[in-house]
Amino acid sequence: MRIGAVEAGGTKFVCGIGDENGAVEDRISFPTEQPEKTLQQVIDYFQGKQVEAIGVGTFGPINIDPSSPEYGFVTTTPKPGWSGYDFLGTLKKAFQVPFGWDTDVNAAAFGEATWGAAKGLDSCVYYTIGTGVGMGVYSEGKLVHGLIHPEGGHVPVRRHPEDTYEGFCPYHGDCLEGVAAGPALEKRWNVKGSELAADHPAWPMEAFYIGQAVTSAILMLSPKKVILGGGVMHQLQLFPMIREEVRRNLNGYVSHPAVQDEIDSYIVPPGLGDNAGLCGSLALGLAAYRKEHA
Amino acid sequence: MRIGAVEAGGTKFVCGIGDENGAVEDRISFPTEQPEKTLQQVIDYFQGKQVEAIGVGTFGPINIDPSSPEYGFVTTTPKPGWSGYDFLGTLKKAFQVPFGWDTDVNAAAFGEATWGAAKGLDSCVYYTIGTGVGMGVYSEGKLVHGLIHPEGGHVPVRRHPEDTYEGFCPYHGDCLEGVAAGPALEKRWNVKGSELAADHPAWPMEAFYIGQAVTSAILMLSPKKVILGGGVMHQLQLFPMIREEVRRNLNGYVSHPAVQDEIDSYIVPPGLGDNAGLCGSLALGLAAYRKEHA
């Protein structure tokens, strides 16, 4: 099979072709500019490539309500030109194939459940912690939507007692994203996160916040796997710290071996590594194909 | 149709018979004692009543994994005799009918989605705020389970700046339940919550905590309705305060009319009133019947 995948990020787009086993055979990447220009690059890439379906995992917020006349639109974003743009419709005009459409983080969660760290499981939560914080939720074998889609990067958090940084989220100040995304690290410590030593006090504080959000996700959703990706999570020393925060927060309340004895294999990096996003979009495209041909 | 319903609470059991429209035609209530005695009362009640299925919504935590040999057991509870008890198996031996089995709060969410405030919607979140705090989650047309089931009453919360009460949760101290359930009101203000005047400062503080949890639930799950039940929510002055907290917390970030202009019909009391629990169990029983006869 030849399935198209579009990973639409706020700073760059990645397009690729893959098969039903999650193997990606070709890819291309270009910066995110005005939507007309960027989507023309997407169309040019897939032209003549004979894809049988296309999956799109994108930055948001987006309209994911199939009954809405604005299904497939980007809704409100500060990114110039994209707010109210008919992203999906533009691609559908160019290719008469089934389309999958979801947030980049829901796509990543789905990719991980299809071929990655949550393979074979019917639930997982995926966080990306990078320039922002995003959350994808897969539960009972379905990606979670409702009014819109999960936006769990913006939950309120209890402040670390030694943290005086006010947070940078323009909506909430010190929500999770405001205190734990990459820019918060840089603003709090006056140096890029990637330049902080592995034993710097930045990391226990970072783990305090991420661990708190993961604790809430476990208590609200009881996912079978928690996957933490994104640039900040390249700091692998965070994993044991976050697991310890979660264990301390839960304090034995959730009586299940996954959190009690096997937490090292419960809270994990993406099984697909930095391919989680593109493979997620591929999985969305594959699901759209299968739904159409069921 | 004649469907049996069991609402198994920590202090009392309610059993009833209802039909496929959610109409309850008979009910009985008795205190929760040792499991052998209490379940015998349940069996005696349904004996000869010709029910075609039985739904059980129960206090927990419980085992809801159908592949587990301990499916249908109560797992860890301080309630004498119930820990490790085969609740569902005991009933199955007495009645050869399809059984529904879930937490009391998941049942209530399901009942509300079937006949109540979330009727016709494919998602809702149900909180009960009483002697404890429980959370049921219905998403994408399914009740949410994973490792276990949601236990969203125990999420960490940011503390109210004027609250010096340490919280009563034996596991977490000042988690949501620890600072917002009925006993917290009584311990903080030295008088039962039901005796506090409607304009007492207890209520804005209570709304601060509940509103924060609801905010997190909206951000993680994007439910199409948020339903707040339980004894504490009989204080109806809490509803406008909680809605205001949620609106203030979200601060325009979730761009959907339900939270922006229609929040009065988005965060609501149970449509089934104090029948939410029993009707939820009835809905579980009905779903089990339909699955068996699909």
Side-chain angles (χ1 to χ4, degrees), chain A residues 3-27:
Chain A
I3 306 291
V6 180
E7 180 189 7
T11 54
K12 68 170 180 175
F13 268 56
V14 184
C15 297
I17 310 277
D19 67 14
E20 69 275 25
N21 302 312
V24 175
E25 68 175 50
D26 187 60
R27 71 163 70 204

Side-chain angles (χ1 to χ4, degrees), chain A residues 253, chain B residues 10 34 59-61 74-84 170-171 177:
Chain A
Y253 185 73
Chain B
Q34 288 286 328
F59 69 89
V74 177
T75 57
T76 51
T77 173
K79 198 166 299 299
W82 288 88
S83 193
Y171 289 90
E177 176 169 301

Side-chain angles (χ1 to χ4, degrees), chain A residues 76 123 127 135 137 139-140 142-152 154-158 171-172 174 212-213 215-217 219-224 249-256 258-259 266, chain B residues 76 123 127 135 137 139-140 142-152 154-158 171-172 174 212-213 215-217 219-224 249-256 258-259 266:
Chain A
T76 51
S123 64
Y127 280 99
M135 181 196 199
V137 182
S139 177
E140 294 281 342
K142 292 186 165 193
L143 288 172
V144 164
H145 313 101
L147 286 184
I148 52 165
H149 42 73
E151 281 286 356
H154 291 264
V155 292
V157 284
R158 193 184 289 223
Y171 290 91
H172 314 112
D174 60 357
Q212 197 183 142
T215 301
S216 292
L219 289 164
M220 288 197 184
L221 285 154
S222 208
K224 292 181 182 170
N249 288 339
L250 291 175
N251 196 24
Y253 185 73
V254 172
S255 175
H256 192 282
V259 285
Y266 178 61
Chain B
T76 51
S123 65
Y127 280 99
M135 182 196 198
V137 182
S139 178
E140 293 280 344
K142 291 186 165 194
L143 288 172
V144 166
H145 313 100
L147 285 184
I148 53 165
H149 42 72
E151 281 286 356
H154 290 265
V155 291
V157 284
R158 191 183 289 222
Y171 289 90
H172 314 113
D174 59 357
Q212 195 182 145
T215 301
S216 293
L219 288 165
M220 288 199 184
L221 286 154
S222 208
K224 292 182 182 170
N249 288 339
L250 290 176
N251 196 27
Y253 185 73
V254 173
S255 175
H256 192 283
V259 285
Y266 178 61

